[in-house]
Amino acid sequence: MEGLYIEPTETSPKVHFDPEAFSFEISGESRPEDVRKFYKPVLDWFEQYSNYLYWLTEKYAEGEKKLVQFHFVFEYFNSSSAKYIMDVIAKLGDIQKASPNAKIQILWHYDEPDEDMKEAGEEFETITNIPFKYIINPD
Amino acid sequence: MEKQSAIVFDLYEKMSAQKIISAYHGEFTQQVINMLLKQAKWDLLQRNTEKITTKRTYGVMVECLENILKHTTLLRHSGQIEANIDGLVILGNQSKDYYITIGNLIKKEEVGILTERMEKINKLDRDELRKHHTEVLKKSEISAKGGAGLGLIEIALKSGSKLNYEFNNYNDTLSFFAMQVIISTNIQA
């Protein structure tokens, strides 16, 4: 299936989803003027990806699991982006439920002194009930 | 008309005394916000501010600026063009702390709900504020106006201080909303 590539702007993050390479990253700053307009294609893309991943892993032997890692590398996001980022994470939870032969992992990156960003990850983790791995950005 | 040069000198002296880093008065658009944020980032960097304080000040600034944009855009679209719908933002430095002051006109009928929200926020301690943030985020349907009250909670959390606000009567339909937020450099985690 086709990937999703959105280049970063002053107000919106970079989105690089490459399903063939199993490489997924959203990074940078998120405070788009029209948050809905920015996140709608991202959420729509996941809808298709859910099907794709199901058919890809459906024929796996028992116990065989495909690890699929999603990297969230936010420098900053505003309060109106928060709701949409939560929707993106919740969508990943749906994908996990639909594809039991895949192991979805969310990797939440943050700068060492930025405890607020780590806390934001923990808040999403609590709300969506999806386990996160926390990664400190190299300096 | 008063002599403009005298006014400007007076403003300059007052602003210097208040330790103002930068101030903007005028129309708020997304472009203006981007420009102000870029400058604020630079100003904070120049002052060797701790990274966490820089990030928090930036975060508070974004929410404050978007708040002004939201209200002034709303007024502009409601046809209240007889009023001056400019907004005002100040970034300043008091001893070790940064402060952000904003001012803009809002419709009188919004004063009630805004006061209610800010009073609720001001009553909560840090842990309660975090829980409140999670609750609002959980059930937030993003309204046509944007953030659904999350912005103010974010401002309180990031600044680590109370929302210090005031409403002044402007005319029959409008009030002037002013708020000062001090970004505390020693927030208890």
Side-chain angles (χ1 to χ4, degrees), chain A residues 71-82:
Chain A
H71 294 267
F72 289 80
V73 198
F74 281 113
E75 165 116 15
Y76 168 76
F77 61 84
N78 67 357
S79 63
S80 13
S81 296

Side-chain angles (χ1 to χ4, degrees), chain A residues 81-107:
Chain A
S81 296
K83 150 88 175 143
Y84 287 90
I85 296 168
M86 185 174 72
D87 287 349
V88 166
I89 293 162
K91 184 69 91 185
L92 288 173
D94 295 343
I95 295 176
Q96 175 65 84
K97 276 186 207 127
S99 298
N101 288 342
K103 185 177 167 21
I104 309 267
Q105 204 171 58
I106 293 177
L107 295 115

Side-chain angles (χ1 to χ4, degrees), chain B residues 171-185:
Chain B
N171 64 22
D172 288 347
T173 52
L174 299 171
S175 286
F176 186 78
F177 166 65
M179 180 168 76
Q180 185 177 44
V181 188
I182 295 163
I183 296 95
S184 163
T185 39

